[in-house]
Amino acid sequence: YAMKLCKNEIMLALVVFFLSFLTYFLTLCPAVFTGDSGELIAAAYTLGVPHSPGYPLYCLIGKLFTFIPLGSIAFRVNLMSAFFASLCAVVLFFILLKILSRINPQARPVALCVPSAAASLIYAFSSTFWSQAVVAEVYTLWIFVLLLSLFTLILWTQNNRQWLLYMFSFLYGIAITSHQLSLFFAPGFIFLIVAYQPNVFSRGGSGLGMFFAFLTGLCLYLYIPVRAAADPAMNWNNIHDVHSFVDYLLRRQYGPLRQNFSL
């Protein structure tokens, strides 16, 4: 019975992925879109430094997608958004599945899988998310990493494996490098951890281990000064020392702090 449930979950996850990806693929922007798309495509293709605060994970994975022998460079990077948007729907499916099974452990598999799959597809085809899934933008990759962080944390609350807590910390660090709006999720994540295990940050080396795992994820930001030193074709802010790097990460080019998260 457990194997049957596992197969049902996998089959529905595949349906969610391929149904959403096929839809995104058929509606994918064939060229460069407006906004930041042109800049992000160029940054990925040249492994350059985009506008502050930088999107290192996007540039690195985007570069891999430029090698796909399909369509133009712009089409290939647009395809990356579609791919990670579909993965977002899959991870959301598993998150909802875990939450529903926690709420009602006695529920039949169909009562868990079908609502989770339906909700995931509704999210995948919502107008705002769909619009970001068919153009070169950072949001689908960012949301994927953020959802993966949440899913890892939920798994930790279910089996209390310490390595999952470290994995969450690492993924959350990467999520911040993907988009700094991730910082606003910190209170919710901390509340969930403390609510489940109040002494987790003071017990043994858990807190220290989480901190170092988090810093390891943040190390992805080192892509910025490394690539800036190579003087790529796209090199925003011309980072040349620690001070200019800190200014870049803190978005000081945009002015007062209240404006930083509106751009």
Side-chain angles (χ1 to χ4, degrees):
Y1 180 79
M3 285 298 294
K4 182 179 179 181
L5 177 60
C6 183
K7 289 179 181 178
N8 288 338
E9 292 178 6
I10 293 174
M11 288 299 297
L12 273 177
L14 291 174
V15 168
V16 168
F17 178 85
F18 285 109
L19 185 58
S20 58
F21 186 73
L22 178 61
T23 305
Y24 295 148
F25 184 81
L26 294 176
T27 58
L28 198 69
C29 179
V32 179
F33 195 63
T34 59
D36 294 333
S37 292
E39 175 197 342
L40 292 171
I41 292 168
Y45 183 59
T46 64
L47 285 179
V49 178
H51 66 273
S52 172
Y55 306 98
L57 185 63
Y58 185 91
C59 292
L60 291 169
I61 298 181
K63 180 63 176 180
L64 295 179
F65 271 80
T66 63
F67 294 116
I68 297 175
L70 183 66
S72 65
I73 296 298
F75 181 86
R76 299 171 191 178
V77 181
N78 293 341
L79 191 64
M80 180 175 74
S81 293
F83 177 75
F84 282 103
S86 296
L87 286 183
C88 284
V90 171
V91 177
L92 182 59
F93 165 74
F94 284 113
I95 289 174
L96 295 173
L97 198 62
K98 291 293 183 183
I99 293 174
L100 290 177
S101 63
R102 179 71 68 89
I103 294 173
N104 188 2
Q106 304 304 320
R108 293 170 60 84
V110 67
L112 300 175
C113 293
V114 173
S116 300
S120 301
L121 288 173
I122 289 172
Y123 175 76
F125 297 135
S126 60
S127 59
T128 300
F129 188 75
W130 192 344
S131 70
Q132 300 303 301
V134 294
V135 299
E137 259 296 355
V138 300
Y139 297 108
T140 62
L141 176 59
W142 166 52
I143 294 173
F144 167 71
V145 178
L146 200 62
L147 286 175
L148 200 58
S149 303
L150 176 59
F151 182 60
T152 305
L153 197 57
I154 291 174
L155 290 178
W156 171 73
T157 63
Q158 291 187 332
N159 54 40
N160 199 26
R161 298 291 179 86
Q162 193 68 25
W163 69 270
L164 287 171
L165 202 55
Y166 296 150
M167 179 60 70
F168 158 76
S169 302
F170 173 72
L171 289 172
Y172 183 57
I174 291 179
I176 291 176
T177 69
S178 300
H179 204 295
Q180 289 182 347
L181 282 175
S182 301
L183 291 168
F184 291 105
F185 291 84
F189 286 146
I190 293 174
F191 174 80
L192 182 59
I193 293 171
V194 173
Y196 178 74
Q197 206 169 99
N199 63 340
V200 65
F201 293 111
S202 58
R203 186 191 62 194
S206 295
L208 191 61
M210 291 176 64
F211 177 71
F212 281 114
F214 174 71
L215 286 184
T216 303
L218 282 183
C219 282
L220 195 58
Y221 266 137
L222 294 178
Y223 164 90
I224 303 298
V226 169
R227 287 303 300 157
D231 194 26
M234 176 175 290
N235 192 8
W236 277 66
N237 291 48
N238 191 26
I239 298 167
H240 55 277
D241 56 23
V242 174
H243 183 266
S244 59
F245 179 46
V246 171
D247 285 347
Y248 179 87
L249 292 183
L250 296 180
R251 309 164 63 101
R252 286 176 177 160
Q253 72 182 67
Y254 301 128
L257 181 63
R258 66 177 180 273
Q259 299 177 6
N260 282 356
F261 291 100
S262 63
L263 298 176

